[in-house]
Tab-separated table of all heavy atoms in Angstrom:
chain	number	residue	atom	x	y	z
A	20	ASN	N	2.880	1.531	-1.822
A	20	ASN	CA	1.705	2.133	-2.470
A	20	ASN	C	1.680	1.692	-3.928
A	20	ASN	O	2.712	1.357	-4.505
A	20	ASN	CB	1.720	3.659	-2.353
A	20	ASN	CG	2.796	4.314	-3.193
A	20	ASN	OD1	2.666	4.414	-4.420
A	20	ASN	ND2	3.881	4.748	-2.561
A	22	ALA	N	0.361	2.990	-7.681
A	22	ALA	CA	-0.122	4.179	-8.389
A	22	ALA	C	-1.325	3.844	-9.253
A	22	ALA	O	-1.326	2.845	-9.981
A	22	ALA	CB	0.999	4.765	-9.234
A	24	ILE	N	-2.617	6.626	-11.007
A	24	ILE	CA	-2.105	7.487	-12.087
A	24	ILE	C	-0.591	7.404	-11.942
A	24	ILE	O	-0.041	7.767	-10.891
A	24	ILE	CB	-2.585	8.954	-11.922
A	24	ILE	CG1	-4.116	9.050	-11.919
A	24	ILE	CG2	-1.980	9.845	-13.031
A	24	ILE	CD1	-4.799	8.601	-13.199
A	25	LYS	N	0.075	6.914	-12.976
A	25	LYS	CA	1.472	6.505	-12.831
A	25	LYS	C	2.474	7.649	-12.905
A	25	LYS	O	2.252	8.668	-13.572
A	25	LYS	CB	1.847	5.507	-13.933
A	25	LYS	CG	1.012	4.235	-13.970
A	25	LYS	CD	1.180	3.402	-12.736
A	25	LYS	CE	0.422	2.084	-12.859
A	25	LYS	NZ	0.424	1.337	-11.576
A	26	TYR	N	3.580	7.399	-12.211
A	26	TYR	CA	4.803	8.215	-12.355
A	26	TYR	C	5.680	7.449	-13.336
A	26	TYR	O	6.052	6.310	-13.076
A	26	TYR	CB	5.443	8.349	-10.977
A	26	TYR	CG	6.950	8.408	-10.909
A	26	TYR	CD1	7.688	9.310	-11.677
A	26	TYR	CD2	7.645	7.571	-10.031
A	26	TYR	CE1	9.078	9.367	-11.575
A	26	TYR	CE2	9.022	7.624	-9.916
A	26	TYR	CZ	9.730	8.513	-10.682
A	26	TYR	OH	11.092	8.567	-10.579
A	27	TRP	N	5.947	8.042	-14.477
A	27	TRP	CA	6.859	7.383	-15.431
A	27	TRP	C	7.645	8.463	-16.152
A	27	TRP	O	7.119	9.151	-17.014
A	27	TRP	CB	6.091	6.493	-16.427
A	27	TRP	CG	7.027	5.545	-17.141
A	27	TRP	CD1	7.433	5.621	-18.449
A	27	TRP	CD2	7.706	4.427	-16.554
A	27	TRP	NE1	8.320	4.615	-18.710
A	27	TRP	CE2	8.504	3.865	-17.579
A	27	TRP	CE3	7.741	3.850	-15.290
A	27	TRP	CZ2	9.319	2.749	-17.344
A	27	TRP	CZ3	8.535	2.737	-15.070
A	27	TRP	CH2	9.309	2.207	-16.094
A	29	LYS	N	11.463	10.996	-15.491
A	29	LYS	CA	11.975	12.057	-14.612
A	29	LYS	C	12.322	13.303	-15.419
A	29	LYS	O	12.856	13.202	-16.521
A	29	LYS	CB	13.239	11.578	-13.893
A	29	LYS	CG	13.011	10.493	-12.856
A	29	LYS	CD	14.334	10.162	-12.169
A	29	LYS	CE	14.202	9.039	-11.158
A	29	LYS	NZ	13.855	7.729	-11.728
A	41	SER	N	1.358	12.216	-10.021
A	41	SER	CA	0.850	10.843	-9.928
A	41	SER	C	-0.027	10.707	-8.689
A	41	SER	O	-0.002	11.572	-7.809
A	41	SER	CB	2.014	9.842	-9.900
A	41	SER	OG	2.890	10.121	-8.826
A	113	ALA	N	7.678	-3.951	-5.749
A	113	ALA	CA	8.781	-3.064	-5.383
A	113	ALA	C	8.669	-2.720	-3.905
A	113	ALA	O	7.589	-2.421	-3.417
A	113	ALA	CB	8.709	-1.806	-6.216
A	115	SER	N	10.833	-0.398	-2.693
A	115	SER	CA	11.573	0.857	-2.517
A	115	SER	C	10.683	1.963	-1.961
A	115	SER	O	11.157	2.830	-1.229
A	115	SER	CB	12.224	1.301	-3.826
A	115	SER	OG	11.248	1.535	-4.807
A	147	SER	N	13.537	7.315	-3.505
A	147	SER	CA	12.806	6.659	-4.590
A	147	SER	C	11.555	7.492	-4.795
A	147	SER	O	10.855	7.809	-3.824
A	147	SER	CB	12.434	5.239	-4.152
A	147	SER	OG	11.612	4.625	-5.119
A	148	GLY	N	11.280	7.869	-6.039
A	148	GLY	CA	10.183	8.798	-6.292
A	148	GLY	C	8.885	8.363	-5.635
A	148	GLY	O	8.213	9.141	-4.931
A	149	SER	N	8.525	7.096	-5.831
A	149	SER	CA	7.234	6.627	-5.319
A	149	SER	C	7.180	6.627	-3.791
A	149	SER	O	6.093	6.607	-3.215
A	149	SER	CB	6.935	5.224	-5.864
A	149	SER	OG	8.007	4.351	-5.598
A	150	ALA	N	8.334	6.688	-3.109
A	150	ALA	CA	8.350	6.721	-1.644
A	150	ALA	C	7.698	7.999	-1.107
A	150	ALA	O	7.176	8.007	0.009
A	150	ALA	CB	9.780	6.607	-1.134
A	152	ARG	N	4.979	9.154	-1.828
A	152	ARG	CA	3.539	8.909	-1.622
A	152	ARG	C	3.275	8.024	-0.421
A	152	ARG	O	2.211	8.101	0.190
A	152	ARG	CB	2.930	8.299	-2.901
A	152	ARG	CG	3.097	9.184	-4.152
A	152	ARG	CD	2.382	8.586	-5.363
A	152	ARG	NE	2.793	7.230	-5.606
A	152	ARG	CZ	3.299	6.753	-6.750
A	152	ARG	NH1	3.436	7.555	-7.812
A	152	ARG	NH2	3.637	5.497	-6.868
A	200	LYS	N	13.314	-7.868	-11.986
A	200	LYS	CA	13.018	-7.342	-13.321
A	200	LYS	C	14.279	-7.234	-14.167
A	200	LYS	O	15.371	-6.993	-13.649
A	200	LYS	CB	12.278	-6.024	-13.235
A	200	LYS	CG	12.908	-4.977	-12.348
A	200	LYS	CD	11.955	-3.795	-12.206
A	200	LYS	CE	12.285	-2.942	-11.001
A	200	LYS	NZ	11.146	-2.327	-10.365
A	204	SER	N	13.489	0.269	-13.233
A	204	SER	CA	12.541	1.307	-13.626
A	204	SER	C	13.286	2.583	-14.003
A	204	SER	O	12.886	3.310	-14.909
A	204	SER	CB	11.499	1.560	-12.528
A	204	SER	OG	12.107	1.853	-11.304
A	205	ARG	N	14.401	2.835	-13.320
A	205	ARG	CA	15.188	4.037	-13.623
A	205	ARG	C	15.664	4.029	-15.081
A	205	ARG	O	15.476	4.995	-15.817
A	205	ARG	CB	16.391	4.093	-12.670
A	205	ARG	CG	17.337	5.242	-12.907
A	205	ARG	CD	18.360	5.321	-11.801
A	205	ARG	NE	17.712	5.650	-10.533
A	205	ARG	CZ	18.176	6.540	-9.663
A	205	ARG	NH1	19.293	7.171	-9.897
A	205	ARG	NH2	17.535	6.792	-8.552
A	208	MET	N	12.628	4.173	-17.570
A	208	MET	CA	12.061	5.523	-17.692
A	208	MET	C	12.912	6.378	-18.629
A	208	MET	O	12.409	7.087	-19.486
A	208	MET	CB	12.054	6.216	-16.317
A	208	MET	CG	10.950	5.810	-15.403
A	208	MET	SD	11.072	6.785	-13.887
A	208	MET	CE	10.119	5.735	-12.787
A	255	MET	N	0.809	3.919	-20.122
A	255	MET	CA	2.215	3.957	-19.709
A	255	MET	C	2.977	2.802	-20.348
A	255	MET	O	4.087	2.979	-20.864
A	255	MET	CB	2.320	3.872	-18.186
A	255	MET	CG	3.744	3.757	-17.695
A	255	MET	SD	3.885	3.493	-15.904
A	255	MET	CE	3.505	1.746	-15.764
A	295	ASP	N	2.818	-2.280	-12.971
A	295	ASP	CA	3.957	-1.368	-12.827
A	295	ASP	C	5.152	-1.886	-13.624
A	295	ASP	O	4.947	-2.469	-14.673
A	295	ASP	CB	4.230	-1.168	-11.338
A	295	ASP	CG	3.067	-0.402	-10.705
A	295	ASP	OD1	2.955	0.793	-10.984
A	295	ASP	OD2	2.254	-1.027	-9.994
A	296	ALA	N	6.359	-1.684	-13.097
A	296	ALA	CA	7.541	-2.080	-13.869
A	296	ALA	C	7.802	-3.571	-13.690
A	296	ALA	O	8.853	-3.994	-13.209
A	296	ALA	CB	8.742	-1.249	-13.433
B	401	PMV	O1	9.833	4.997	-7.569
B	401	PMV	P1	10.362	4.051	-8.611
B	401	PMV	O2	11.654	4.500	-9.170
B	401	PMV	O3	10.398	2.612	-8.100
B	401	PMV	O4	9.337	4.040	-9.871
B	401	PMV	C1	8.024	3.603	-9.766
B	401	PMV	C2	7.369	3.583	-11.103
B	401	PMV	C3	6.059	2.834	-11.176
B	401	PMV	O5	5.906	1.924	-10.095
B	401	PMV	C4	6.033	2.034	-12.467
B	401	PMV	C5	4.856	3.778	-11.213
B	401	PMV	C6	4.513	4.461	-9.927
B	401	PMV	O6	4.003	5.580	-10.006
B	401	PMV	O7	4.703	3.893	-8.827
Side-chain angles (χ1 to χ4, degrees):
N20 70 75
I24 301 297
K25 301 296 185 188
Y26 146 52
W27 195 253
K29 291 183 183 66
S41 57
S115 61
S147 174
S149 53
R152 301 184 306 236
K200 51 188 161 213
S204 54
R205 177 172 295 224
M208 281 182 200
M255 174 186 78
D295 293 288

